[in-house]
Amino acid sequence: MEHPMHNLHAVIMAGGVGSRFWPYSRNSKPKQFLDVLDCGQSLLQLTFARLSAVLPPNQIWVVSHIDYSELVSEQLPEIDSQRILLEPGRKNTAACIMYATRCIELTDPEASVFVVPSDHLILHTENFNNAVAAATDFVNHHSDNLLTFGIKASRPDTGYGYIQFENEPVSNGIHQVIQFVEKPDYETALRYLSAGNYVWNSGMFLWKNKCIRDLMKKYAIEIFKLFAEFQPGDDLASIYNNCPSISIDYAVMEKTDQAFVLPVDLGWTDLGTWASLYEYHQKDEQQNVVIGDGIYYLETNNCLFRNEEQKIIASLGINNLIVVNTPDALLICDKNKEQSIKQLAGELQKKFGNTFL
């Protein structure tokens, strides 16, 4: 008997620039290639290791930007170069997924595909493995349906999108999706939390390759047509030049009635922002997080410090700040404003070009 996951492939999306982690994350080496957790492995390597527990390397793919070709190969020597898909431009997740969908289709026409971002922290690995097995079983028996992993909300977080689902499960804890909702304000997030049928949108998906291909053809025809006849070695630049920039959520997930969600508790954090890193790290009695050496403070509370130099950082009487020092840039940011760091990086690019990005 064949193993139920023998046709399961994983796609790691690793092409972003990580500008919300500026100035530590830069265009030349964004956060997925950095040891953000100070554990000896990059976020990409941690993601690959997590997937390797359930899949062989020849069923794991990475989609990244062409600028990061060497970084991916250096950090993941176990992956064959044919499974490292390099995008010539950044056109959001729908194009990334359609590119991978086409390449996997040419390799394994009966494939199921597990799509994951490269910058997630998952502490409960056994729960993760069980969730992947349950999701795979579901799509094997319901090949016309898409499955997304919903993170059971532990607080009224305003930094995540949410998924509302039907109360009654259809199979083994899996529910039909009612709607995807944008990042809410605090009062709305409180309401979602108390309702009990909302989960955080993790951005992890599992589906039959044929299913997502058909739904892209139905809902994102322009992207579908660009990749429909693609063969390895074809001119990707012209495809990406003509490709709309849109997320898979907007392109497909929010439009279809074939979306289902598996609520899971994975010890999950989307390490997309300094605030998420602050939540992860152990704090001192004043609720400060300190990463690096040479950091001294008095009357300082609820702050995150990261120092990449030997320079002394001393603070007195400050609260609720993010302070990140690198050799050529220093960020000082109110923690309540950290969602705007990406916008700040964009303004710096307008003023200084790519010098500090």
Side-chain angles (χ1 to χ4, degrees):
M1 181 181 293
E2 289 182 326
H3 192 278
M5 286 197 258
H6 80 284
N7 282 126
L8 180 64
H9 295 246
V11 173
I12 304 173
M13 298 184 291
V17 296
S19 54
R20 290 183 295 171
F21 252 115
W22 186 87
Y24 180 48
S25 175
R26 302 295 182 94
N27 285 349
S28 59
K29 194 173 185 179
K31 69 171 187 278
Q32 61 267 30
F33 301 106
L34 299 173
D35 183 7
V36 170
L37 301 177
D38 297 296
C39 66
Q41 289 186 295
S42 71
L43 294 178
L44 175 62
Q45 289 170 320
L46 290 171
T47 303
F48 176 77
R50 188 161 56 245
L51 293 169
S52 295
V54 293
L55 292 173
N58 67 352
Q59 290 171 228
I60 301 175
W61 304 66
V62 177
V63 185
S64 191
H65 191 271
I66 194 169
D67 290 348
Y68 308 140
S69 172
E70 290 186 9
L71 282 169
V72 176
S73 297
E74 287 170 8
Q75 294 199 0
L76 300 180
E78 305 92 335
I79 295 186
D80 187 278
S81 60
Q82 293 181 342
R83 284 171 173 72
I84 299 174
L85 308 180
L86 300 171
E87 298 181 288
R90 293 183 175 90
K91 292 299 179 80
N92 216 314
T93 54
C96 164
I97 288 170
M98 190 63 226
Y99 180 17
T101 297
R102 175 58 179 165
C103 291
I104 293 171
E105 176 185 41
L106 295 170
T107 303
D108 183 356
E110 301 303 317
S112 299
V113 180
F114 182 30
V115 178
V116 298
S118 57
D119 57 354
H120 288 182
L121 171 68
I122 290 175
L123 299 176
H124 303 160
T125 53
E126 185 175 351
N127 289 2
F128 173 80
N129 296 346
N130 291 338
V132 174
T136 303
D137 181 69
F138 178 78
V139 300
N140 281 343
H141 290 89
H142 304 85
S143 59
D144 291 334
N145 294 329
L146 312 174
L147 190 81
T148 183
F149 291 67
I151 307 300
K152 294 177 181 177
S154 58
R155 59 186 182 276
D157 200 299
T158 60
Y160 300 134
Y162 286 68
I163 301 170
Q164 183 187 19
F165 58 86
E166 298 284 0
N167 287 313
E168 289 300 318
V170 296
S171 170
N172 296 326
I174 294 170
H175 302 252
Q176 184 153 21
V177 170
I178 296 174
Q179 62 174 338
F180 290 79
V181 291
E182 295 297 320
K183 297 174 183 177
D185 58 31
Y186 183 75
E187 294 300 321
T188 304
L190 272 177
R191 193 173 76 248
Y192 291 166
L193 195 63
S194 62
N197 66 330
Y198 286 82
V199 286
W200 294 333
N201 184 358
S202 72
M204 294 187 285
F205 308 98
L206 202 152
W207 45 50
K208 283 291 186 183
N209 210 47
K210 287 180 180 177
C211 179
I212 192 63
R213 183 184 186 278
D214 290 345
L215 290 176
M216 290 287 282
K217 184 177 182 180
K218 181 177 181 180
Y219 295 116
I221 186 64
E222 191 174 355
I223 298 175
F224 172 82
K225 284 181 176 179
L226 287 167
F227 287 95
E229 302 301 325
F230 172 78
Q231 297 284 334
D234 287 356
D235 181 16
L236 265 176
S238 62
I239 291 176
Y240 272 77
N241 285 340
N242 292 291
C243 194
S245 180
I246 186 172
S247 71
I248 194 66
D249 293 69
Y250 284 136
V252 174
M253 299 303 292
E254 294 185 4
K255 296 176 181 176
T256 180
D257 60 1
Q258 296 165 233
F260 290 77
V261 62
L262 175 61
V264 288
D265 177 9
L266 303 178
W268 174 91
T269 301
D270 173 8
L271 288 169
T273 65
W274 288 113
S276 63
L277 190 64
Y278 173 84
E279 291 296 329
Y280 164 75
H281 271 284
Q282 186 173 351
K283 300 163 187 64
D284 65 16
E285 292 181 359
Q286 291 77 44
Q287 297 300 298
N288 296 306
V289 169
V290 175
I291 306 169
D293 299 322
I295 300 166
Y296 302 93
Y297 49 83
L298 293 171
E299 300 174 24
T300 295
N301 301 279
N302 302 305
C303 291
L304 181 146
F305 296 92
R306 184 173 191 119
N307 191 8
E308 297 290 309
E309 291 189 294
Q310 298 302 310
K311 179 192 299 180
I312 296 294
I313 296 177
S315 76
L316 174 63
I318 65 172
N319 298 282
N320 210 50
L321 293 183
I322 296 166
V323 180
V324 181
N325 178 57
T326 70
D328 65 346
L330 170 66
L331 171 70
I332 304 170
C333 174
D334 186 324
K335 270 171 50 192
N336 293 326
K337 299 287 187 180
E338 60 97 33
Q339 289 286 341
S340 299
I341 291 175
K342 182 176 182 178
Q343 179 183 348
L344 174 65
E347 293 299 318
L348 288 170
Q349 185 175 33
K350 291 178 186 176
K351 186 171 179 63
F352 299 107
N354 292 325
T355 303
F356 300 106
L357 298 180

